[in-house]
Amino acid sequence: MLPTKPSSSRRSARSALAALVALALAGATSATASADALPGAHVSATSVLQAATYPGIQHLHYEFGPIDIAPGQNNIEIAVNNHKPDVPGYITRFKPDLVYAKDHTVPRVDVIHLHHGVWLANLYPTFAAGEEKTVFNFPQGYGYHFDPKDQWLMNYMIHNLTPNPTKVFITYDIDFVPDSDPAAQSITPVHPLWMDVSGIKPYPVFDVIRGSGRNGRFTFPDQARGAQKRDIGPAHVWTAPRDITLVATAGHLHPGGLWTDLKATRGGTTKELFRSEAKYFEPAGAVSWDVSMTGTKPDWRVALRAGDRLNVSATYDTRRASWYESMGIMVVFYADGIQPGAVDPFSSPVDWHGLITHGHLRENDNHGGKAIGLPDARMLLDGFFTRSVSIRDYVFGRGDLSLTGKAGRPPVIRRGQSLKFTNFDATKSMSPQQSAYHTITACRAPCNRSTGIAYPLADARVPFDSGELGYGPTLGGMKFTPAAQRNTWRTPKNLRPGTYTYFCRIHPFMRGSFRVVADKHRSKRR
């Protein structure tokens, strides 16, 4: 459901804002670091996992939607999905994507992106995708058995980084072998196992703070401390109830992620089974969605005995920036019993290196970081002395870098005080579909260049983040929303004197600043 038609003044503000967004989105590459130094640099950019082949295989294309995308949307939705095969058979490949409804082109990731999509079969998460769009290939001789009687649900979170409405389809291509085809007799069925460092729950996320962990890397949940432990989910561990063979897996991470690890423990001994590595094509390094995750090779088979314990973890880079609302997921598929060629990891080595599932995607070409004429807040005179900032129509009412005059200068508070932000684009009286969640996220000054997939970043020397200001539904006592369930936030009281710049993680063209001054500070005037 789209918001009601705005007033003429609101339409005028939105028209002006749309022009600013268009300018901000016209970015160029800002390569401040090289991807060559990343752990995934050794992964081949040209060796890509290939699909299994069978006589009579069908290549099926499905489109879920059209989905109305509201201005600034970032909410979680779930709906019945009847777009699936008509007959029983085996799914041997699953390739997700997102396209505009109007022309079926793929949106730029810095404009509209698929935060996540989960295909639930009989209420169990079975296939999944994030904006890295990992393609899932089962090895030859294995497949996920589908029955038309299975109930499919589509759980999706599509992020609109702009104030402009649109319509999209979630698409997926399936390689399918019907049961009626003789080739189906040669396929062994596999079962999905959802391994999730912060799940299973509607929004399984955790925060990674710049400088945390060790040597610039933070592994969750292993290095979780204090309040972070509340984000650890039960699905990060699983004990095999019987003898099984793992046949395929791949990881899901957000920008900043380096790898996910799948390990097994037996009798106090732990072995690495697979590391899904992030192969970044992003010139600036591990800071964007311009990445492909590695999946297991076609001959990867791991034998587990009843009682063996699986564990998954996710490792992020913490040298460059903080990464809020991060994920670490591996969907593992296994067959019953010990399959031919399976390796017992506690008696023989396992090849835990994989191959990427796709190369660079064109929708990731706008990296951002180009000068667009916004001011350097550090050079501006003082703005208003105030204790509050209102957010309306995607604009910070005081200190927004797009504003002119005194309203555009940094609002001033004294040391020991807090500046209160209130998001009037998301109030209790508004539905999640009408709401535009905003954050106040610290970025390194001047934080005034063009928006892209790699700019801006939460890379300030003093990190702070408000969470997504707004309200959303709950499900079974858990948040079914990324919203913070409040629309206000106050800056920390311990900030030292200085000018602080910030942006909205949800709509990163929104930039702002404020200034903390000493008790005896005398306001600068024109």
Side-chain angles (χ1 to χ4, degrees):
M1 179 178 181
L2 292 175
T4 56
K5 187 175 181 180
S7 65
S8 59
S9 61
R10 189 179 178 94
R11 289 198 303 271
S12 298
R14 184 157 291 168
S15 297
L17 183 60
L20 176 63
V21 174
L23 179 62
L25 292 176
T29 299
S30 176
T32 58
S34 173
D36 294 338
L38 297 174
H42 71 93
V43 177
S44 171
T46 56
S47 296
V48 179
L49 283 171
Q50 301 299 307
T53 60
Y54 300 91
I57 194 170
Q58 299 177 6
H59 305 291
L60 308 178
H61 178 76
Y62 295 99
E63 297 184 349
F64 178 86
I67 303 168
D68 288 320
I69 303 300
Q73 179 173 312
N74 197 43
N75 53 288
I76 300 171
E77 302 285 350
I78 189 165
V80 173
N81 182 7
N82 292 318
H83 302 279
K84 53 188 179 179
D86 297 324
V87 299
Y90 288 93
I91 296 173
T92 64
R93 183 174 187 262
F94 193 93
K95 180 181 180 295
D97 212 336
L98 185 75
V99 300
Y100 283 119
K102 60 183 178 181
D103 57 11
H104 281 71
T105 59
V106 179
R108 273 174 31 190
V109 172
D110 57 308
V111 178
I112 301 286
H113 77 234
L114 182 64
H115 184 282
H116 71 255
V118 180
W119 286 256
L120 295 99
N122 300 322
L123 301 181
Y124 192 80
T126 301
F127 295 104
E131 195 49 63
E132 82 283 3
K133 299 176 182 176
T134 298
V135 181
F136 210 95
N137 296 288
F138 291 109
Q140 192 76 30
Y142 294 89
Y144 173 77
H145 191 264
F146 165 83
D147 190 309
K149 297 178 182 178
D150 294 342
Q151 182 189 49
W152 276 25
L153 297 175
M154 188 77 231
N155 174 4
Y156 60 93
M157 182 177 176
I158 299 174
H159 183 181
N160 184 355
L161 287 79
T162 79
N164 306 314
T166 190
K167 293 178 182 286
V168 300
F169 286 102
I170 296 174
T171 70
Y172 46 109
D173 292 279
I174 292 175
D175 282 2
F176 186 72
V177 180
D179 281 353
S180 59
D181 194 287
Q185 305 306 310
S186 66
I187 299 177
T188 299
V190 297
H191 313 284
L193 172 62
W194 186 271
M195 299 291 294
D196 187 337
V197 297
S198 196
I200 296 176
K201 53 190 173 185
Y203 194 46
V205 297
F206 58 95
D207 291 340
V208 179
I209 306 303
R210 184 182 183 211
S212 61
R214 296 182 60 187
N215 301 320
R217 293 174 184 172
F218 173 82
T219 298
F220 188 88
D222 305 38
Q223 294 176 318
R225 299 291 183 269
Q228 289 178 316
K229 293 183 178 181
R230 293 180 301 195
D231 294 326
I232 300 174
H236 82 283
V237 294
W238 182 78
T239 301
R242 58 189 180 278
D243 292 355
I244 61 172
T245 299
L246 310 184
V247 302
T249 190
H252 167 64
L253 291 167
H254 285 194
L258 299 177
W259 64 74
T260 60
D261 276 320
L262 180 68
K263 298 180 180 181
T265 300
R266 179 190 298 168
T269 300
T270 299
K271 297 290 185 178
E272 180 86 49
L273 303 184
F274 185 67
R275 173 169 288 182
S276 183
E277 298 175 279
K279 174 66 176 180
Y280 281 93
F281 305 103
E282 167 61 57
V287 297
S288 81
W289 288 110
D290 194 4
V291 64
S292 180
M293 300 299 296
T294 58
T296 49
K297 296 175 182 176
D299 60 351
W300 185 81
R301 307 282 188 280
V302 176
L304 296 182
R305 298 295 181 182
D308 287 350
R309 183 173 178 265
L310 285 179
N311 176 283
V312 67
S313 64
T315 298
Y316 278 72
D317 180 87
T318 57
R319 294 169 298 176
R320 294 284 303 280
S322 296
W323 310 103
Y324 300 99
E325 301 178 57
S326 298
M327 289 186 172
I329 299 171
M330 299 183 80
V331 184
V332 184
F333 286 88
Y334 66 91
D336 292 326
I338 306 301
Q339 296 292 314
V343 173
D344 186 325
F346 297 95
S347 59
S348 301
V350 174
D351 182 4
W352 51 266
H353 301 90
L355 301 174
I356 58 174
T357 68
H358 63 74
H360 165 73
L361 303 175
R362 289 187 300 173
E363 54 264 38
N364 291 311
D365 282 344
N366 182 40
H367 300 271
K370 184 178 181 180
I372 55 174
L374 291 178
D376 183 340
R378 298 170 298 182
M379 302 294 106
L380 297 177
L381 299 175
D382 288 349
F384 294 96
F385 269 86
T386 183
R387 299 292 296 276
S388 64
V389 172
S390 298
I391 307 171
R392 287 187 174 91
D393 293 338
Y394 301 82
V395 174
F396 301 108
R398 293 282 187 267
D400 194 297
L401 299 190
S402 70
L403 296 176
T404 58
K406 194 170 183 178
R409 302 181 208 163
V412 180
I413 57 173
R414 298 194 183 280
R415 180 168 48 189
Q417 294 179 335
S418 287
L419 186 62
K420 179 183 178 181
F421 288 81
T422 303
N423 180 18
F424 289 100
D425 288 340
T427 65
K428 281 187 175 181
S429 63
M430 301 167 68
S431 71
Q433 290 76 18
Q434 293 173 312
S435 299
Y437 304 143
H438 298 309
T439 75
I440 297 91
T441 304
C443 52
R444 180 172 297 188
C447 197
N448 61 353
R449 293 180 171 265
S450 64
T451 300
I453 61 170
Y455 191 93
L457 301 175
D459 57 354
R461 295 188 183 277
V462 179
F464 55 78
D465 181 81
S466 64
E468 298 190 33
L469 300 182
Y471 302 89
T474 59
L475 181 67
M478 295 182 291
K479 286 202 320 177
F480 197 78
T481 178
Q485 304 295 38
R486 51 182 167 79
N487 72 331
T488 62
W489 177 78
R490 297 178 183 273
T491 59
K493 289 185 176 182
N494 61 350
L495 295 177
R496 295 181 177 181
T499 301
Y500 295 84
T501 50
Y502 60 88
F503 71 109
C504 172
R505 290 189 283 109
I506 316 306
H507 313 102
F509 64 89
M510 295 173 60
R511 315 290 175 80
S513 71
F514 64 89
R515 183 167 290 154
V516 178
V517 298
D519 295 339
K520 297 181 180 180
H521 173 81
R522 178 173 296 178
S523 177
K524 298 178 182 178
R525 302 181 184 274
R526 285 188 182 278

